[in-house]
Amino acid sequence: MTPEQEQQARNQAFYLLKKYTSFTFLDQARLRYQGFLDAFVNQLKTPPLAVQNYRYAVHAQTRHEEEYKEFLRQMISMEQGLALLRSTHHKQEAYNTISRTDFMEQLFGRYADEKGVCIDPFYIALGIVYEHPGNSIHPSNHTAFIKDVIIAAAMNSTRRITTSNLKDYDPFRLVDWNSLRQSQKWTYETLFFEPEWPIPRIFPDYLPSCPSYNRNHQDQIFTGGTIPTDGIWEPWFITPIFKNTDPAKMAAKVGCPNYFLAGAVATEYQLEGMDTWEEVWWRLLWEDKRYLDGTIPAEEADYLKTRPPVAPQIFTDHKAYPGDVCPITGNWHAPHMQGKTVRVEAGNIMPGSKINAAGNAVTWYLKV
């Protein structure tokens, strides 16, 4: 990246990290869960005809009432967690309480498989679309209130990823189910990965600037150390990676900003496009003191904005495979190559490997 591009990426990363850990963002997830619950209880009171005619209707009604109670218990945890986030500086406790809300097991996990949720008329009326065993949970496959739950779960998961320092949470899994890569913390590659997931990356017309690089060596935390403050930190590599011909102008490599909770262990950092983990110095960019004065920052109003509708991408019948000679100049898209789009000139060789990391054949499709 050029210095200008890197500053723009820092601004966007800083904005998203604050958004993904904000009260407003998580309250939007709560509202989606609540919409599902309201529709659920309305169906319990007034079942659609398909539900009434279901041959196991009496038994299913009893089970649905118990399922509703479980959903309701989980919603209470989310409401308690959001109340904590607005009233205490113990953010870890608040986020842990919010994380107890997870409708996905009942809708798509082992419980759902055992109860046949995907073929239950009650849940079909709420938006579940049954295709085959092992039904995908990608939002595009489902509709209505079920889709809202999936998006809410993705929002909740995004917060967990953002504040986690474990390898268990893999940002690529949100957008590419074939990927084998993992990431302890966000990189520019994972934070801006394409195609977009259920949570669109929407920025305001005026994007607030990320704070300047923290060049203070005194308060930096080395990999393995304990993070003392809730906030956004930036990884600095130990040795200069970007080397100029003039030794006096050598600049240290600085990675993507990340959010840490106080008490977390400072992680290693995986540079974009690399499979190795590097020990780094983490330096504080911004201390998170939101909500301690009882107010919600004005910028959070922008978090509720939606993107204007855009025309869908249209693909032609032209396709090619990695290693082939490009037949037509244009933008080519490979769904099994991390959803990448590249511009290739006619006569050049189509890029990439013939097989991706998951063993799927890679095909390039020409976009209109």
Side-chain angles (χ1 to χ4, degrees), residues 312-318 331-335 341 365-368:
Q313 295 180 339
I314 301 175
F315 300 93
T316 68
D317 292 332
H318 295 288
N331 295 319
W332 293 79
H333 177 82
T341 297
Y365 297 92
L366 181 65
K367 296 170 62 175
V368 174

Side-chain angles (χ1 to χ4, degrees), residues 224-300:
T226 301
I227 297 292
T229 303
D230 296 327
I232 296 175
W233 298 68
E234 205 163 32
W236 289 63
F237 285 79
I238 301 170
T239 56
I241 291 180
F242 288 163
K243 296 183 178 180
N244 193 284
T245 53
D246 181 356
K249 295 182 179 179
M250 287 198 307
K253 172 63 179 173
V254 183
C256 180
N258 270 275
Y259 190 101
F260 280 98
L261 289 165
V265 175
T267 67
E268 298 171 311
Y269 184 82
Q270 187 181 45
L271 192 63
E272 288 78 3
M274 304 294 288
D275 293 325
T276 58
W277 299 94
E278 301 288 342
E279 294 182 329
V280 293
W281 292 101
W282 290 95
R283 296 181 184 174
L284 183 65
L285 275 180
W286 173 78
E287 184 176 357
D288 190 355
K289 296 181 179 180
R290 291 173 295 183
Y291 319 124
L292 295 182
D293 62 356
T295 64
I296 296 177
E299 80 170 38
E300 292 195 15

Side-chain angles (χ1 to χ4, degrees), residues 16 116 174 176 194 255:
L16 289 179
L174 288 177
D176 178 11
E194 292 182 348

Side-chain angles (χ1 to χ4, degrees), residues 49-354:
L49 189 60
V51 175
Q52 296 179 38
N53 294 337
Y54 187 42
R55 59 178 175 172
Y56 303 117
V58 175
H59 171 74
Q61 174 77 8
T62 301
R63 177 167 61 82
H64 295 153
E65 290 172 356
E66 292 302 313
E67 288 165 349
Y68 176 73
K69 292 177 184 178
E70 177 56 30
F71 287 134
L72 197 57
R73 281 193 289 269
Q74 293 191 38
M75 273 298 295
I76 291 172
S77 292
M78 186 152 207
E79 291 169 352
Q80 290 174 338
L82 287 168
L84 280 173
L85 192 59
R86 288 288 308 276
S87 61
T88 178
H89 66 278
H90 298 295
K91 296 188 185 301
Q92 180 70 76
E93 180 183 359
Y95 289 141
N96 286 347
T97 305
I98 291 170
S99 292
R100 294 176 192 147
T101 302
D102 183 7
F103 293 1
M104 299 299 279
E105 171 61 25
Q106 283 182 260
L107 294 174
F108 298 102
R110 181 175 178 178
Y111 173 89
D113 290 341
E114 292 175 349
K115 301 299 182 181
V117 165
C118 62
I119 56 174
D120 185 337
F122 187 91
Y123 286 98
I124 291 174
L126 290 171
I128 272 188
V129 177
Y130 176 71
E131 293 178 347
H132 52 74
N135 201 22
S136 170
I137 64 170
H138 194 281
S140 63
N141 292 356
H142 305 284
T143 63
F145 302 103
I146 297 294
K147 182 175 181 178
D148 278 339
V149 167
I150 295 171
I151 293 175
M155 296 173 76
N156 211 350
S157 178
T158 300
R159 195 284 308 162
R160 284 196 298 268
I161 292 166
T162 302
T163 59
S164 172
N165 62 339
L166 301 174
K167 290 185 180 180
D168 295 340
Y169 296 111
D170 179 1
F172 280 88
R173 292 284 296 184
L174 288 177
V175 288
D176 178 11
W177 292 94
N178 295 316
S179 175
L180 301 178
R181 297 194 58 180
Q182 292 185 329
S183 179
Q184 283 178 296
K185 302 300 288 184
W186 293 113
T187 65
Y188 288 120
E189 182 182 15
T190 56
L191 192 59
F192 301 118
F193 197 58
E194 292 182 348
E196 292 198 4
W197 9 313
I199 310 161
R201 290 178 286 271
I202 302 173
F203 302 101
D205 295 333
Y206 174 76
L207 185 66
S209 295
C210 177
S212 300
Y213 289 109
N214 180 355
R215 301 185 184 280
N216 182 2
H217 295 258
Q218 295 179 349
D219 298 325
Q220 62 189 5
I221 305 298
F222 192 62
T223 295
T226 301
I227 297 292
T229 303
D230 296 327
I232 296 175
W233 298 68
E234 205 163 32
W236 289 63
F237 285 79
I238 301 170
T239 56
I241 291 180
F242 288 163
K243 296 183 178 180
N244 193 284
T245 53
D246 181 356
K249 295 182 179 179
M250 287 198 307
K253 172 63 179 173
V254 183
C256 180
N258 270 275
Y259 190 101
F260 280 98
L261 289 165
V265 175
T267 67
E268 298 171 311
Y269 184 82
Q270 187 181 45
L271 192 63
E272 288 78 3
M274 304 294 288
D275 293 325
T276 58
W277 299 94
E278 301 288 342
E279 294 182 329
V280 293
W281 292 101
W282 290 95
R283 296 181 184 174
L284 183 65
L285 275 180
W286 173 78
E287 184 176 357
D288 190 355
K289 296 181 179 180
R290 291 173 295 183
Y291 319 124
L292 295 182
D293 62 356
T295 64
I296 296 177
E299 80 170 38
E300 292 195 15
D302 289 326
Y303 300 168
L304 305 180
K305 292 181 179 178
T306 57
R307 176 172 297 161
V310 296
Q313 295 180 339
I314 301 175
F315 300 93
T316 68
D317 292 332
H318 295 288
K319 62 182 179 180
Y321 303 96
D324 288 356
V325 175
C326 178
I328 299 174
T329 296
N331 295 319
W332 293 79
H333 177 82
H336 284 132
M337 196 174 177
Q338 300 178 347
K340 289 184 177 179
T341 297
V342 298
R343 184 168 182 82
V344 185
E345 299 292 327
N348 290 343
I349 301 300
M350 299 300 298
S353 302
K354 294 183 181 295

